[in-house]
Amino acid sequence: MTVFNQMQKTGCEPDRVTYCTLIDIHAKSGYLDIALDMYERMQEAGLSPDTFTYSVIINCLRKAGHLAAAHKLFCEMVNQGCVPNLVTYNIMIYLQAKARNYSAALQLYRDMQNAGFEPDKVTYSIVMEVLGHCGYSEEADSVFVEMKRRHWVPDEPVYGLLVDLYQAMLNAGLRPNVPTRNSQLSALLRVHRLQEAFHLLQDMLHLGLNHSLQTYTLLLSFCTEAQTSIEMRLCCQLMAVTCHPAHTFLSTMLASGPDGKNVRDHASNFLDLMHSEDRESKRGLVDAVVDFLHKNGLKEEAGSVWEAAAQKNVYPEAVREKSSCHWLINLHVMSDGTAVTALSRTLAWFRKQMIISGTCPNRIDIVTGWGRRSRVTETSLVRQAVQDLVKMFYFPFYTENGNSGCFVGCGDALSRRMHLL
């Protein structure tokens, strides 16, 4: 504000950017009255608001509890020809939900998608709550599935909401199917309600619903992330309840032999047994198994399971030759433990082939993306794990063209390092 006053004294007139900056920082700091005052001063100066300004002011009015005024300003924005952005739509959907105008909130959600905007985590969370209040439990479950498919990581309130929605579904006399039950199980595990998860698994059996590969994958992933030995033990009991062949496979796995062949054969036989399952389901389980083994110190076993899965084409796009001696290692659909295992084994395979043929890759691209286990936007556990591994072995990999989700190694530096591996 001091700088703002000084610039006016020197005859430098504030423009739209100046006012938008002041409106934004005051709104975010909770000084809503000053933000609204700045908006009025901007209009008095003959400066028309843009989409960003409208969004900030609408959010200001929302925080101040002026829902009707916020809706009026949104209508004015549209009438002035300013196209709402994702943030604006999220605010308005929230406003309509807050006012219990659920049909209007859902209509805005559809309008947003028709305008070409993809929902983010905020949108999904609000819409799920709206659908729940409308009694559309199955639709809310579909939104949750879509949210995870688009790699948005749900937070605790979303999982808590899901638990309530499923209970409402049961109270209404509806009979959920296996995918719906799996979503409910995922929600219960996320909020650490293991006793209820146990009853859910037993209830599935009583209803004649067989525990699927996805059911077991959810339990194993939770077991990997268990924070206490008690929690891990309880989760192991839950996995045993499923009586799924995946549990037999894991519980009968022996320690890796000198060359890991016994574990590779064991994993290969299990994957043959699961041949009728779709590739996505098999990949999800293999990812969970390798991640579990890696994070529990069984790195040889993890590597052997990965190799068996790769041989069975469970990860068809993980390693491919883009052109002569130019290879792509795609890790972005994996957990961090699986990514490190896959990268280590793939680099070792490159070295073995190099010794046999005498030819070294000219270029290797390691794609991490943001990782399906990202906790927040632009943060990836996969990317961090790969970066740590690359640094540990002094591999000459770097990011290029500002693409921080891809590590590139090429030329003589790569060849020399591969010889030393």
Side-chain angles (χ1 to χ4, degrees), residues 4-285:
F4 175 64
N5 293 328
Q6 286 175 349
M7 72 180 284
Q8 290 176 295
K9 288 178 182 178
T10 61
C12 182
E13 289 296 323
D15 61 7
R16 183 194 291 163
V17 175
T18 316
Y19 281 110
C20 283
T21 303
L22 290 168
I23 291 168
D24 189 36
I25 62 175
H26 281 97
K28 287 177 178 175
S29 301
Y31 299 109
L32 305 181
D33 291 341
I34 298 176
L36 293 171
D37 179 61
M38 283 292 163
Y39 177 60
E40 291 179 7
R41 289 173 66 172
M42 184 182 83
Q43 290 180 304
E44 289 169 2
L47 299 168
S48 57
D50 59 5
T51 297
F52 176 78
T53 318
Y54 274 120
S55 297
V56 171
I57 293 299
I58 289 171
N59 199 31
C60 251
L61 293 168
R62 175 189 72 82
K63 288 182 176 179
H66 306 314
L67 305 188
H71 180 71
K72 181 180 177 182
L73 193 61
F74 177 76
C75 296
E76 177 190 315
M77 172 186 179
V78 175
N79 293 335
Q80 291 293 331
C82 283
V83 180
N85 58 22
L86 180 61
V87 174
T88 320
Y89 274 116
N90 280 346
I91 294 168
M92 291 310 301
I93 293 171
Y94 174 83
L95 284 174
Q96 296 294 357
K98 185 84 172 175
R100 300 183 182 278
N101 299 326
Y102 300 130
S103 58
L106 293 175
Q107 184 58 52
L108 276 168
Y109 178 57
R110 289 188 285 268
D111 291 345
M112 182 196 79
Q113 292 176 304
N114 291 335
F117 293 105
E118 286 192 359
D120 62 4
K121 184 163 73 172
V122 174
T123 322
Y124 284 126
S125 301
I126 300 168
V127 170
M128 282 175 59
E129 186 172 358
V130 169
L131 290 168
H133 283 300
C134 293
Y136 302 141
S137 300
E138 292 187 10
E139 288 82 353
D141 183 62
S142 297
V143 171
F144 177 71
V145 171
E146 180 186 337
M147 180 182 187
K148 292 204 297 183
R149 183 171 57 81
R150 292 183 181 273
H151 306 310
W152 288 106
V153 180
D155 51 20
E156 301 297 330
V158 171
Y159 281 105
L161 172 65
L162 270 180
V163 172
D164 294 338
L165 287 175
Y166 290 127
Q167 191 56 51
M169 184 188 296
L170 294 174
N171 293 341
L174 298 175
R175 180 179 171 176
N177 56 19
V178 174
T180 304
R181 284 297 202 177
N182 284 340
S183 294
Q184 184 182 7
L185 175 64
S186 177
L188 290 170
L189 293 173
R190 184 71 179 188
V191 293
H192 299 268
R193 288 159 70 166
L194 301 187
Q195 192 62 42
E196 290 176 59
F198 175 78
H199 291 312
L200 182 145
L201 292 172
Q202 289 195 317
D203 190 45
M204 286 178 71
L205 295 175
H206 293 154
L207 292 172
L209 299 173
N210 294 323
H211 300 131
S212 66
L213 198 61
Q214 292 90 335
T215 312
Y216 193 82
T217 301
L218 285 170
L219 292 167
L220 183 57
S221 294
F222 178 77
C223 190
T224 303
E225 298 173 4
Q227 298 175 352
T228 65
S229 57
I230 295 175
E231 205 170 61
M232 179 177 278
R233 187 167 64 251
L234 288 172
C235 199
C236 287
Q237 291 173 3
L238 292 178
M239 290 191 287
V241 168
T242 66
C243 297
H244 196 277
H247 189 66
T248 304
F249 156 69
L250 202 58
S251 58
T252 58
M253 182 183 293
L254 299 175
S256 180
D259 59 356
K261 185 177 182 302
N262 62 328
V263 176
R264 284 197 300 275
D265 290 344
H266 186 60
S268 183
N269 291 335
F270 170 70
L271 290 171
D272 286 340
L273 182 67
M274 293 288 106
H275 73 277
S276 60
E277 295 280 354
D278 63 276
R279 181 180 287 156
E280 184 69 28
S281 298
K282 285 188 285 191
R283 188 167 60 214
L285 177 71

